[in-house]
Amino acid sequence: MEPKDLQHVFDSAFAGMRQAREAFAPQLAPREVGTITSIATGIAKVSGLPGVGFEEVLRFAEDLYGIAFNVDEDEIGVVLLGDYWQLHAGDEVERRGHVMDVPVGDGLIGRIVNPLGRPLDGKGPVVSGARLPIERKAPHIMDRAPVTVPLQTGIKVIDALIPIGRGQRELIVGDRQTGKTTIALDTILNQYDQNVLCVYCAIGQRASGVAKVVATLREQGAMDYTIVVVTEGNDPPGLAYIAPYAATSIAEHFMEQGRDVLVVYDDLTHHARAYRELSLLLRRPPGREAFPGDIFYIHARLLERATHLRPELGGGSLTALPIIETEAQDISSYIPTNLISITDGQIYLSPSLFELGVLPAVDVGKSVSRVGGKAQGAAYRAVAGDLKLAYAQFEELETFARFGARLDENTRKIIEHGRRIRACLKQPQFAPVSVAAQIAVLLALTAQLFDPVALDRMTDAEQAVREAAADIPAEVCARFDSAEQLSGEDRATVIRIARNALAPFQPRPESESRREAPAAAKAESKAALREKP
């Protein structure tokens, strides 16, 4: 390159730098900075920030964040949202000027994130077009619509006897290891063709348990419409506290777009314990069982956000399935009774039924849906209306029958019919049943077609009816999902198909067996004579 050309390059470069320097106008940006006065497990005390607001985000060293929780005159109690081992008294703390928020949008579908929106699945950063505060007001009463559309779980005992509607809050309650998470997972798996988006929120769970849940969702193809929000047992209590609120904000974004969303909180026992730990560390006065006085409020303001919006607002819905763990089957303890009074019903899982192999171990007597038949199709109401009463009568009579009392013929029939109901309501995990198959089985039960079948053959008989449901005409299946009542002709069609499927399982008449017995004896005697030398 010639020296003249090189000089020209330098001149143009310096001219550009001169213009940039002259155009630069320094701006002063105020920063409010305080200092840490003390550090404890999961919390920090901060001074020097007189203008900070409740639940405002504060930034510590090493990109660690916290939430202002106790706003006192002299100092602030901060809940830390990450590993705090590198923090020390005297370190700087900066105000961020906004409350805690979380990224939302379609980019989260199929991802596993923590409550801060940071990815945990190794698939790169989360792409989101907006952020929402984790704490939001619940929709006003006048913005809500009645719950009328069913949320099919694919679990026969729930869809038939304890129906859940889109926009409902149904509590899953029971002792540990009774199948609570399995019911929630089955419900998520059944939404693969229901156009329902799912959010699974794991609160303080073991890492191995969360990995197993995620592996199940991936194997069944459910991650295509599911978002997983995770806090593990070794995470700080602050993350466990904000986890359900963050998951609800993610779900609300889709609800406000007019979509139906299901959110599972697994489980709120860990959430309540994390909040108790934070409150005691922050010197808040303890109440019953050392829980703070506002423990009811933190769950009420969470679950009130689940609703069904009016058509003018998009008609979206947010269905909540909170899970709670009891100890020694005590559903009258503090946290379970709080949540039972907040929600629209509960599904109680009995350890006694679980030990007997009745799976899912749903105790129909202690379970209730306060929306009830309003969240069922007309076809379901027609076939499942008397089933719960018949099953409850059977359970009462079965208790007395254990004492060896003599039973009249009518009582014996009720007990035998109830045993068939129980056998039909059994269901393996991760095997949701379609609407047509459920209605075929329930109609066969109400028509007492299963009563002649031996109990040891009930599993095969029920499976035969479910497979035969594929032969139900398409126009009849269309009425199952609509608000139309089943006509007598429709019922007769389904019962005829079920009866044909159960024909191989019916006992033969006594006259035939009597005729066959002498013939078999003669054949045996002839064979014996031939064998003699």
Side-chain angles (χ1 to χ4, degrees):
M1 181 180 289
E2 295 294 330
K4 292 182 179 179
D5 298 335
L6 190 61
Q7 182 67 34
H8 177 69
V9 170
F10 278 116
D11 289 344
S12 61
F14 284 128
M17 294 169 61
R18 188 181 302 109
Q19 289 177 1
R21 186 194 63 196
E22 292 173 354
F24 175 74
Q27 295 180 348
L28 296 177
R31 289 175 64 236
E32 289 193 47
V33 178
T35 55
I36 299 174
T37 57
S38 64
I39 292 281
T41 306
I43 67 160
K45 297 290 182 68
V46 175
S47 64
L49 293 173
V52 74
F54 179 61
E55 291 191 345
E56 183 176 337
V57 176
L58 303 178
R59 187 170 184 267
F60 294 81
E62 304 294 335
D63 204 28
L64 174 67
Y65 291 91
I67 302 175
F69 222 56
N70 276 10
V71 183
D72 299 327
E73 186 177 355
D74 298 325
E75 66 178 7
I76 305 156
V78 181
V79 173
L80 301 174
L81 304 177
D83 293 326
Y84 46 86
W85 55 269
Q86 75 274 21
L87 298 182
H88 304 90
D91 288 353
E92 285 191 353
V93 185
E94 181 186 352
R95 278 186 67 185
R96 302 297 292 171
H98 62 86
V99 295
M100 190 67 214
D101 54 15
V102 66
V104 297
D106 292 343
L108 284 165
I109 299 176
R111 301 299 302 271
I112 305 169
V113 297
N114 71 358
L116 302 176
R118 296 171 180 169
L120 301 175
D121 50 9
K123 294 183 179 179
V126 173
V127 179
S128 66
R131 299 182 72 91
L132 286 179
I134 63 169
E135 292 273 12
R136 305 180 73 207
K137 284 186 178 180
H140 299 292
I141 295 295
M142 299 307 294
D143 292 340
R144 303 180 185 225
V147 176
T148 55
V149 181
L151 180 90
Q152 296 295 142
T153 65
I155 303 171
K156 290 172 289 187
V157 64
I158 295 176
D159 289 340
L161 305 181
I162 318 153
I164 301 173
R166 298 188 183 186
Q168 187 174 343
R169 303 156 299 179
E170 186 78 6
L171 181 67
I172 302 174
V173 59
D175 284 13
R176 65 186 304 271
Q177 299 297 319
T178 51
K180 301 184 295 297
T181 301
T182 301
I183 283 185
L185 283 182
D186 278 339
T187 305
I188 292 175
L189 297 181
N190 195 52
Q191 308 310 314
Y192 70 97
D193 60 348
Q194 305 289 324
N195 195 26
V196 175
L197 193 70
C198 302
V199 180
Y200 177 79
C201 179
I203 308 169
Q205 300 291 321
R206 296 193 306 270
S208 59
V210 175
K212 186 177 178 182
V213 168
V214 172
T216 301
L217 293 174
R218 282 199 174 124
E219 288 170 8
Q220 304 288 338
M223 283 301 291
D224 295 339
Y225 53 87
T226 302
I227 303 166
V228 180
V229 181
V230 176
T231 59
E232 297 174 359
N234 57 348
D235 284 337
L239 281 178
Y241 168 66
I242 70 169
Y245 301 102
T248 307
S249 290
I250 292 171
E252 277 181 331
H253 170 75
F254 297 103
M255 177 186 72
E256 290 167 359
Q257 292 180 340
R259 302 186 63 175
D260 294 312
V261 191
L262 167 69
V263 60
V264 175
Y265 306 112
D266 189 10
D267 62 33
L268 292 185
T269 307
H270 288 100
H271 183 245
R273 289 171 182 164
Y275 185 66
R276 174 172 62 181
E277 179 180 352
L278 293 171
S279 298
L280 293 175
L281 287 167
L282 290 168
R283 304 295 183 185
R284 292 189 174 184
R288 178 177 166 185
E289 297 180 19
F291 285 105
D294 60 343
I295 190 70
F296 182 93
Y297 172 62
I298 72 163
H299 287 152
R301 74 173 189 254
L302 170 70
L303 294 170
E304 280 296 319
R305 293 162 71 177
T307 186
H308 179 207
L309 294 177
R310 289 166 50 202
E312 295 84 358
L313 299 174
S317 69
L318 177 57
T319 308
L321 290 183
I323 297 174
I324 200 75
E325 182 182 297
T326 56
E327 296 177 354
Q329 307 178 47
D330 184 13
I331 60 174
S332 62
S333 59
Y334 189 29
I335 302 301
T337 49
N338 278 355
L339 284 156
I340 286 171
S341 61
I342 293 168
T343 51
D344 305 315
Q346 71 273 354
I347 298 169
Y348 177 69
L349 300 178
S350 166
S352 306
L353 292 175
F354 189 88
E355 290 164 4
L356 291 172
V358 180
L359 301 176
V362 176
D363 188 327
V364 176
K366 293 181 181 177
S367 302
V368 66
S369 172
R370 297 190 183 100
V371 176
K374 299 279 187 185
Q376 270 183 323
Y380 263 105
R381 285 199 298 272
V383 300
D386 300 330
L387 202 61
K388 189 167 186 177
L389 178 61
Y391 193 56
Q393 285 179 336
F394 152 69
E395 288 185 323
E396 290 294 326
L397 290 173
E398 188 184 38
T399 304
F400 286 107
R402 290 185 185 134
F403 296 112
R406 288 187 177 181
L407 304 175
D408 60 87
E409 188 61 27
N410 186 44
T411 304
R412 193 175 291 110
K413 284 182 179 179
I414 293 174
I415 290 177
E416 290 301 319
H417 181 57
R419 285 174 178 161
R420 268 83 185 160
I421 295 175
R422 175 185 286 168
C424 280
L425 294 180
K426 287 183 182 179
Q427 188 172 335
Q429 63 178 355
F430 311 143
V433 182
S434 66
V435 172
Q438 287 193 40
I439 290 181
V441 171
L442 296 175
L443 262 178
L445 270 175
T446 54
Q448 300 187 350
L449 300 183
F450 284 106
D451 288 8
V453 180
L455 271 176
D456 57 353
R457 303 191 69 191
M458 277 297 300
T459 303
D460 296 332
E462 189 255 349
Q463 181 66 29
V465 173
R466 283 166 49 187
E467 292 173 357
D471 300 330
I472 298 175
E475 60 272 13
V476 178
C477 289
R479 282 191 281 276
F480 291 164
D481 296 320
S482 68
E484 297 181 35
Q485 292 281 352
L486 280 184
S487 65
E489 186 179 347
D490 293 341
R491 295 172 69 97
T493 301
V494 177
I495 288 175
R496 184 180 68 252
I497 292 172
R499 184 177 282 113
N500 293 337
L502 291 173
F505 301 93
Q506 303 294 331
R508 284 178 287 186
E510 292 184 9
S511 58
E512 291 184 12
S513 60
R514 284 174 185 167
R515 283 199 302 268
E516 290 177 3
K522 287 180 182 178
E524 288 178 6
S525 62
K526 287 180 180 179
L529 288 171
R530 288 195 199 101
E531 290 176 1
K532 286 184 179 180

